[in-house]
Amino acid sequence: MKTATDTSGFEQHNHSHCINKALQEADLICQQKSLRLTPLRRQVLGYIWQSHKPLGAYTLLEMLAVSRAPGNNSRVAPPTVYRALEFLLEHGLIHRIASLNAYIGCCSPSDKHQSHFFICRHCNSTVELATPAISAAIAQSAKSTGFMVEDECVEIVGLCPQCQKINPDAAGDIE
């Protein structure tokens, strides 16, 4: 999982390694839990890992439609994609980015953890963070106010290193 000081998730790279690793981990997790990773669930997970940009359900629907074999006019219905996404979410293989109503692959699906993300406001590239201090601060604040946290997802919006290079004037906007 990425740490707060690791910006490698924002660098351009071949995503085939990310896809293969995610699918191997998904296969292993499903095998250990006696779950079924159907071809559609595999395909949706693969599409989600094609880039480090969150994808919405309707974008996934379009991608699935394009990937259909020539002559196969059957379309995947939205509920089918949502069921696949629910399965992947429930078993920690993906995360939901609430502010974008979109989904991104989980970097460490075998480890139970909270979701924290850096999201580039320009290109939508997203990096998952492993920063226990964020969860600790939330837990402490909740304890001091008597609030019971049921779920947490911290989304931090800004500019990735590449977008800062393209628009250096915008990099100083948030301080």
Side-chain angles (χ1 to χ4, degrees), residues 21-33:
K21 182 177 180 253
L23 292 174
Q24 287 173 356
E25 284 187 273
D27 285 334
L28 182 62
I29 288 168
C30 288
Q31 184 179 27
Q32 290 170 345
K33 295 180 177 182

Side-chain angles (χ1 to χ4, degrees), residues 29-86:
I29 288 168
C30 288
Q31 184 179 27
Q32 290 170 345
K33 295 180 177 182
S34 298
L35 302 170
R36 190 160 170 252
L37 188 63
T38 64
L40 179 68
R41 291 170 179 167
R42 267 184 90 74
Q43 193 173 12
V44 168
L45 184 60
Y47 284 148
I48 288 173
W49 274 99
Q50 279 186 349
S51 71
H52 291 285
K53 296 178 183 181
L55 296 176
Y58 282 90
T59 300
L60 289 163
L61 269 170
E62 291 170 16
M63 295 169 86
L64 289 165
V66 168
S67 71
R68 288 296 205 220
N72 181 353
N73 294 331
S74 66
R75 292 189 52 91
V76 176
T80 305
V81 171
Y82 280 109
R83 281 192 297 273
L85 290 167
E86 286 173 21

Side-chain angles (χ1 to χ4, degrees), residues 128-143:
E128 184 177 353
L129 307 172
T131 312
I134 295 171
S135 291
I138 291 170
Q140 180 58 41
S141 293
K143 183 178 178 182

Side-chain angles (χ1 to χ4, degrees), residues 3-16:
T3 63
T5 57
D6 180 4
T7 60
S8 62
F10 287 117
E11 294 174 1
Q12 299 298 319
H13 63 277
N14 182 339
H15 295 286
S16 62

